[in-house]
Amino acid sequence: TITVNNAGPSDATNARVQDALPAPLAGFTWACAPVRGAICGIASGTGNINALVTIPNGASVTFTLTGTVPAGTTGGLTNTATVTPPAEVNDPIPGNNSDTDNNAVNARADLSLSKASTPNPYVPGQPLTYTITVNNAGPSDATNARVQDTVPVQLAGFAWTCAPSGGAVCGIASGTGNIDALVTVPSGDSVTFTLTGTAPAGPIVSLVNTATVSPPAGVTDPTPGNNTGTDTNPADARADLSLSKASTPNPYV
């Protein structure tokens, strides 16, 4: 909100109001509202403001600038607006003709992680697949979120791949064993890790595996409780036993 007042004693006809917006706000729209007989030369617009206004003594105009900050915006936003009096008017206090707003960033990305295995229960000695999906419900992008999964020792030889969706980016495309990778997940997008291999034939135990996603530094996750996914997969042991018996000599003596 930008408010321009005229404390008089003279009227100001065609004073110039200017505001060069930070690049991320280029798509913001603005509207000018006059008060007490003031006149807005331009009623509304988009992006930078460069408008003439007429402000009688004791009147004012207010510019309201609105929009949605792009999800990938980083760093603080600094924005300075100025008013310049008409050429024929002397401003006795020019030091208050500009104002700067500094707005720090408060990035928030609601990251979540889910993990599942197939088949469940697993069959020792047969193929086993884990799927880890990381979603970002926004509203901000998450650049270099960290995905970690320390696999059970029985799965140390399993191979994994990372597949991005939408505008997401996998820092590492593939690997073997434990996962420790950075990913960039814009608001509304996701990445999926697929871990595959052959389940060990023995010992026959339940496989418990937990994966986590951590937001990048400077980004707050409003719902941290869904940043961890645990999969518990019991064994469905199968052993095709057979037995044969014979005697010698047959017939015996």
Side-chain angles (χ1 to χ4, degrees):
T1 302
I2 303 167
T3 301
V4 182
N5 294 288
N6 181 6
S10 304
D11 295 347
T13 300
N14 288 337
R16 184 175 295 277
V17 179
Q18 293 175 291
D19 185 0
L21 301 179
L25 311 187
F28 275 37
T29 60
W30 55 266
C32 177
V35 179
R36 296 178 184 173
I39 300 172
C40 294
I42 304 175
S44 61
T46 300
N48 297 337
I49 298 172
N50 188 1
L52 298 177
V53 295
T54 294
I55 312 176
N57 176 23
S60 65
V61 296
T62 298
F63 289 83
T64 302
L65 188 70
T66 58
T68 299
V69 180
T73 304
T74 59
L77 296 173
T78 299
N79 188 203
T80 299
T82 61
V83 60
T84 305
E88 69 279 4
V89 175
N90 177 50
D91 190 326
I93 310 175
N96 62 4
N97 288 15
S98 68
D99 197 17
T100 299
D101 180 84
N102 293 302
N103 198 327
V105 64
N106 181 21
R108 297 185 179 185
D110 183 9
L111 297 172
S112 63
L113 184 147
S114 62
K115 181 165 189 177
S117 59
T118 305
N120 191 327
Y122 76 93
V123 179
Q126 292 294 305
L128 175 61
T129 299
Y130 286 89
T131 302
I132 303 165
T133 302
V134 178
N135 291 287
N136 181 6
S140 306
D141 294 348
T143 301
N144 288 338
R146 188 176 186 181
V147 179
Q148 294 174 290
D149 183 3
T150 302
V151 300
V153 63
Q154 298 93 328
L155 312 183
F158 274 38
W160 57 264
T161 59
C162 177
S165 175
V169 178
C170 294
I172 304 175
S174 60
T176 301
N178 297 336
I179 298 172
D180 190 353
L182 297 178
V183 295
T184 293
V185 191
S187 176
D189 291 334
S190 64
V191 297
T192 299
F193 290 84
T194 304
L195 186 69
T196 57
T198 300
I204 308 303
V205 295
S206 235
L207 297 174
V208 179
N209 190 202
T210 298
T212 61
V213 59
S214 303
V219 176
T220 300
D221 191 325
T223 315
N226 61 4
N227 289 17
T228 299
T230 298
D231 179 85
T232 301
N233 196 329
D236 179 15
R238 301 179 187 182
D240 184 9
L241 300 174
S242 63
L243 183 148
S244 62
K245 183 171 184 178
S247 61
T248 303
N250 191 331
Y252 76 93
V253 180

